[in-house]
Structures are given as structure tokens and as C-alpha cells.
Amino acid sequence: MVLNGSQILANVLIENEVDTIFGYPGGAVLNIYDALYEYSDKITHIMTAHEQGASHAADGYARATGKTGVVLATSGPGATNLVTGIATAYMDSVPMVAITGNVPNSLIGRDSFQEVYIAGITMPITKHNFVVRKIEDLAPTLRNAFKIAISGRPGPVLVDIPKDITAAVTEYTPAPKQTAARQLSYTGCNIEDIAEAVNKAKRPVIIYGGGVKNSNAGVILKRIIEKANIPATHTLMAAGVLRWDMPENLGMIGMHGSVVANRAVNDADVVITVGSRFSDRVALAPSKFAKKATMIHIDIDQSEIDKNVKADYHIVGDAETVLGELEPLLEEAKRTEWFEELNKMRRDIPYSTGGDKLHPKEIMDIISEVAGEDGLYVTDVGQHQMWAAQYLHHVKADNFLTSGGLGTMGYGYGAAIGAQIGTGRKPVFHITGDGSFHMNMNEACTAVTYKLPIISVCLNNEALGMVRQWQKTFYGKRYSQSEPDRKTDYVKVAEGFGAKGFRCRTAEEFKAALDEAMKLDTPVWIECIVDREERVLPMIPGGGTVDDIIYN
């Protein structure tokens, strides 16, 4: 059948079982929006307040559902407003297809109205990107984009489509849904050598990262941990892969990780790292990281091997595949002495309760209690993010969405919208701070318009908390621009958007507000007054080691 480019785009989306896209209209994509009107019975379009919110919504949709997120924007500023969201997805390996319109081919390169070279702009932050110059290439290019986004290490792909291509016509032939090119083989050292090193180990530790989540390898990882009795620690991106209360789970590693997790890796004789890239928030001093250990690195991306930390043994392959091969080669073990040693390392960081302000741990404990095991948590970036990672009761791999690699303030509300639409789940908690919230509260209009029961919990310490914490610790308490004197009344602003607002100073008030919020089918904002002096502890300074841990 003969279709125009916009109809072809819609049909390729339908081929790939895309039922929801996020975006914002504009001149260069008017033909596409006309086709979306035609296909509105098959594709739901969610219009956000800002293109960045749309890109984060597509990201949150992808993380929460396991599907590919799709975002659509017009040329020029519409396209450039996607950049932060694309980079966020790229750093955290999230499958996304970003579709941008552009000026017609005849106007490209003439500094036309709302013309930018978005393919060049996004080249460093996409797995691949395309500019479609001929209508005949449109369908194959879009299909290729979906395949690239989900194959191997997932990530975002951009397709830029000039306006004349969206109107041109050509023959369209339907095709099957694109599927991931799953890596069932692997390369590197002999897996028997890895098994032998682990079996001989007295003090082994597993570090598991977001690659385990992406590979759905959590179940087999748990079996290995229990069979060989190996303690495990996770990166920020892997919170929830193992239950927070699993005895072998030491908690998060890195700058704000648990004391026992960081000390265990420091004292281990074998470290098995799966699906983690040893970022500077995990291996703060790479040359000193786990120096007593034989290092084993398993990752799907060859470029991550030996990039930050040198591996004694490595395998490049899919985590589920490699762990499946490793499991039968591992011996059952007790390692009683090692666990006794680790239990002595455990150290609770004291915190205060009572008074006229809430403590972050109280907030996270109450949220966990009210939400139960089905609560879906989306954070912004800052102190609240780390408190959420440390204190929430993580039990499922897809229940904690956060910007780990890029650290994007303003990520949370858009991502919560995408997650709620994608899963239909209730509750969805958007956990934020007053700094981050001011970057994305405009998306409240989106949540209200689509009647999304998202509960935003804002930890308000009237500061850019993480910046201020560093200034307090390392810059002699010179609080340069980290204490904005904002007068925002969150309750009134929520009501102005059409949402419900609460303000809380005590645990009792917060619990009551949360119980009320759970009964509502509307967006809710709950402002929690937090002491400005609260810090995220423990903390290892950048470039430091376990010997430099700050406890108080």
C-alpha cells in the first residue's frame, strides 16, 4: 500500500507494539501529528509541559515496563530540549527512540527557522542516530532504530526526519516487530578459571550493577549467592535486584554506600563484578580499589573492560547467559568466618528524630510501610536521592527509577509520569528535593490533565542540599548560592495546578498525609520540612578510600 511518511512512521510504531508516545507538537512535525490523529485508536500521545519532561517520561516508561520508550519533538528548540533526557537515558543504558522533525531537505544548511543539526548535537549521547533523506529509507531506518535501542547494551537512538519526508509517499510493506539481538555467546577468559578462583576464595564479594537488571539476571544471581554463600553489594542502578533484607545483601557500594559494603570490597580476596562499569562514584580511587582481590569483570560492553579498574579475568557477554554458565561450576560453601567478620563491620549511622522537623530515614521508612512491596519509586537527584537509595525497602528491580550516570535534577516528575502511564501502578512515588522540584514542577499540569495519581514527596531543606553538604565539609562552610531564598508555597502551587497539597513537620503528620494521599486518584504534593544541616552519611570523599569514610 502507498502511504505518506507520517503514516509510515505511525505504522512502524504499531509494528513494534508502541501504544504510547510522549511529545510536544510544532511546525516541523505537523504532518506526523496529523497521522497520530488518524491512528489515535492505536497510539496514545501524552503531551507534556516541556520536551525535556517528555524525554524523561519516555525514559521512565522504558525503565518501568521494559519496553522501548518513544519521544517526539519538533525541530530546533524542540529537538534540543530533548538533549538532557537523551543523555540521561544513554548514561543509564535505557532503550529509547527519539524522533525529531526538521526543516525540509531543501532548507537544510541554510540557517532556516528552527533548524539545528540535532544528529551532530546528539552523536556523543546516542547509541546511533539517523537523518532520513529519502522516503524509501524511512521505514527501514525506524525499524533499525528500534533494533539498535534494545540490542546488546540498551540505549537511546535518534531519528531526524525532514518535514518533506513526512509528506512524501512511497510503498509501505508491513514487517514483524523488531527483537533484540541477544548475546548468547561470550568472549574472554575460560569460565572454568573464574569458577576455580571463586571456589578457592575465602573472602569473595559480588558487585552487581544495572547490567544485571537489564539482563533480567536477578534470579540466577540470587541462586549463585545462596549456593556459594557470597556476600553482595550493588550500585545505585541495581537497587532492588536483591531484596534489601536478604542476609547476603550488604547494601549499596560507593561514595554514599554502606560501611560494610565498602569495607568488604576493600578486604575481599576475590571480587566478581557483574554489569557494572566501576564509575567514579563506585571506585572513587581506581588505583586503590579492591587491591587485595583478584578482580573478575563480567560485562556486555567490551569498552568497559579495563576502562576504570584492571581485571584479572574478564568475560564480555550477557549477564544472564554468563551467570547461567557459571552457576553449575560453583561449589556450595559456608564461609562462616567471612560473614562473622562482615557482621562486625556493620555500622549504623546515628540519626535524630523528634523536634519540629522530619528525618529523611523516617520519611523513607513511612513511605516503604505505606507503599508495601508494590510501591514504585522515582527520584530526582541530590540528597533525597541518596536517602531513598539508602533507606527505602527495595524489593523489586524495576521499582526504583533514578538518574544515576548523568545525575539529572528535574528527571523525577517526567519519569514518574511515564512510569505511571506505562504500568498503571498505584502508588507511584516521586521523591524529590526543593532544588530538583523547582526544575520540573511544571509537569504537574501533565499529571493533572491525565489524572495520574502520582504522590510527590518533597524533602524541603531550603537548600541545594548536596552542594551545601560539600561546601560545609570541604569549602569551609562558604555556602555560595546553595541557600536560595525561595518563598514557594507548595500547597498553594499544587492547588493552583489542580493537585492536592500537604505540608508536614512531624512523622505523625506525614503518615496522616500519606494515608490520605493513597485514597485519592489525583496528583498529590507532600512537602516535608527537613533540617538544612542533615547530611547524607556515610560519605567517602571523591578520590578517597574506605580509610577516608566520614561518619558524622
Side-chain angles (χ1 to χ4, degrees):
M1 69 186 124
V2 176
L3 299 176
N4 67 37
S6 301
Q7 293 169 322
I8 289 171
L9 168 59
N11 276 274
V12 173
L13 294 178
I14 293 167
E15 281 176 11
N16 287 280
E17 300 178 2
V18 175
D19 55 16
T20 305
I21 69 171
F22 305 86
Y24 203 97
V29 289
L30 282 176
N31 294 328
I32 296 174
Y33 273 85
D34 192 57
L36 290 174
Y37 186 91
E38 179 183 353
Y39 291 91
S40 59
D41 60 327
K42 295 184 175 66
I43 302 172
T44 298
H45 179 279
I46 304 298
M47 180 180 167
T48 55
H50 189 281
E51 290 92 352
Q52 184 175 330
S55 63
H56 292 324
D59 175 304
Y61 177 94
R63 297 194 204 213
T65 65
K67 302 176 183 178
T68 301
V70 180
V71 63
L72 170 63
T74 192
S75 62
T80 57
N81 281 345
L82 297 182
V83 169
T84 298
I86 293 171
T88 301
Y90 181 75
M91 290 291 283
D92 289 346
S93 304
V94 178
M96 177 194 293
V97 173
I99 301 165
T100 54
N102 213 328
V103 300
N105 272 300
S106 61
L107 295 180
I108 287 177
R110 299 174 181 268
D111 291 332
S112 304
F113 177 68
Q114 292 193 333
E115 179 196 359
V116 297
Y117 181 38
I118 193 63
I121 291 170
T122 59
M123 190 173 294
I125 55 169
T126 53
K127 282 189 72 177
H128 199 80
N129 57 32
F130 301 91
V131 179
V132 181
R133 298 296 193 189
K134 298 189 298 182
I135 183 62
E136 294 82 8
D137 294 337
L138 180 58
T141 299
L142 288 166
R143 289 166 183 150
N144 198 15
F146 275 94
K147 191 172 192 68
I148 292 170
I150 59 177
S151 295
R153 181 177 181 174
V157 179
L158 181 134
V159 182
D160 190 46
I161 310 173
K163 189 171 182 178
D164 57 314
I165 301 298
T166 67
V169 296
T170 192
E171 187 74 25
Y172 166 76
T173 303
K177 176 186 177 182
Q178 298 300 305
T179 56
R182 190 70 183 267
Q183 264 183 251
L184 298 178
S185 60
Y186 53 85
T187 59
C189 67
N190 293 325
I191 200 160
E192 291 81 6
D193 293 337
I194 289 178
E196 182 179 4
V198 176
N199 288 334
K200 290 181 177 178
K202 301 295 184 184
R203 302 185 308 281
V205 175
I206 291 175
I207 301 173
Y208 60 97
V212 173
K213 174 181 174 179
N214 289 340
S215 179
N216 295 313
V219 172
I220 193 167
L221 174 68
K222 182 175 183 289
R223 290 204 305 262
I224 285 174
I225 287 169
E226 291 179 334
K227 176 183 180 180
N229 211 22
I230 302 174
T233 176
H234 62 83
T235 67
L236 178 65
M237 299 309 302
V241 169
L242 300 179
R243 289 184 61 96
W244 69 283
D245 54 358
M246 182 178 173
E248 296 86 356
N249 186 355
L250 304 179
M252 188 169 67
I253 190 175
M255 178 174 284
H256 294 294
S258 72
V259 174
V260 64
N262 283 302
R263 291 204 176 279
V265 171
N266 185 70
D267 294 347
D269 57 3
V270 170
V271 172
I272 312 104
T273 301
V274 188
S276 175
R277 58 190 175 87
F278 299 110
S279 79
D280 60 312
R281 286 300 188 265
V282 170
L284 292 92
S287 63
K288 301 176 183 178
F289 186 75
K291 292 306 292 181
K292 303 172 186 175
T294 297
M295 184 63 69
I296 299 166
H297 194 183
I298 300 167
D299 202 280
I300 199 167
D301 189 346
Q302 173 71 56
S303 69
E304 297 297 348
I305 304 299
D306 292 338
K307 184 172 81 174
N308 294 321
V309 173
K310 176 75 175 176
D312 297 290
Y313 299 97
H314 77 265
I315 288 182
V316 177
D318 175 76
E320 186 179 40
T321 300
V322 176
L323 293 180
E325 295 285 332
L326 180 62
E327 182 187 12
L329 302 177
L330 296 178
E331 300 171 355
E332 293 187 13
K334 292 294 183 184
R335 298 194 166 93
T336 303
E337 291 183 5
W338 180 218
F339 274 93
E340 288 177 351
E341 189 176 337
L342 293 177
N343 287 332
K344 292 178 182 177
M345 295 180 190
R346 294 184 187 272
R347 178 168 181 173
D348 292 329
I349 303 301
Y351 64 94
S352 58
T353 58
D356 64 347
K357 291 183 176 69
L358 278 158
H359 188 275
K361 186 177 188 302
E362 288 182 297
I363 295 170
M364 301 308 161
D365 285 344
I366 292 169
I367 291 174
S368 299
E369 175 190 343
V370 172
E373 297 199 351
D374 290 326
L376 197 159
Y377 310 109
V378 187
T379 83
D380 275 297
V381 171
Q383 286 182 314
H384 66 273
Q385 176 192 32
M386 292 296 101
W387 287 320
Q390 290 174 331
Y391 297 134
L392 286 174
H393 298 176
H394 303 284
V395 295
K396 295 180 181 178
D398 58 356
N399 279 17
F400 185 67
L401 282 55
T402 194
S403 172
L406 196 64
T408 306
M409 293 177 69
Y411 167 80
Y413 217 156
I417 287 168
Q420 210 287 324
I421 287 172
T423 63
R425 292 263 291 280
K426 182 181 178 180
V428 171
F429 287 94
H430 165 219
I431 300 172
T432 186
D434 54 303
S436 286
F437 206 14
H438 275 92
M439 291 190 174
N440 66 13
M441 64 171 62
N442 57 328
E443 291 304 338
C445 68
T446 309
V448 169
T449 297
Y450 293 97
K451 299 179 175 64
L452 305 177
I454 295 168
I455 301 173
S456 294
V457 179
C458 178
L459 281 66
N460 184 8
N461 58 4
E462 298 182 334
L464 303 182
M466 192 62 84
V467 174
R468 188 180 185 278
Q469 175 171 331
W470 278 65
Q471 289 173 336
K472 179 176 183 176
T473 306
F474 304 113
Y475 292 87
K477 299 183 180 181
R478 294 184 292 277
Y479 300 127
S480 176
Q481 302 303 312
S482 58
E483 297 179 347
D485 186 23
R486 291 169 177 157
K487 308 302 183 185
T488 307
D489 187 322
Y490 293 92
V491 174
K492 289 182 179 179
V493 175
E495 292 171 351
F497 273 116
K500 177 68 174 175
F502 297 90
R503 181 176 296 109
C504 307
R505 293 184 178 275
T506 67
E508 292 74 21
E509 290 176 349
F510 179 54
K511 177 67 163 56
L514 207 51
D515 287 341
E516 181 66 21
M518 293 288 287
K519 300 173 186 175
L520 301 175
D521 289 319
T522 187
V524 176
W525 293 10
I526 305 176
E527 178 190 12
C528 295
I529 308 301
V530 176
D531 195 306
R532 184 180 279 178
E533 298 301 325
E534 291 288 358
R535 291 181 296 162
V536 181
L537 297 173
M539 177 183 183
I540 301 177
T545 70
V546 293
D547 295 327
D548 305 306
I549 293 178
I550 299 170
Y551 296 100
N552 50 51

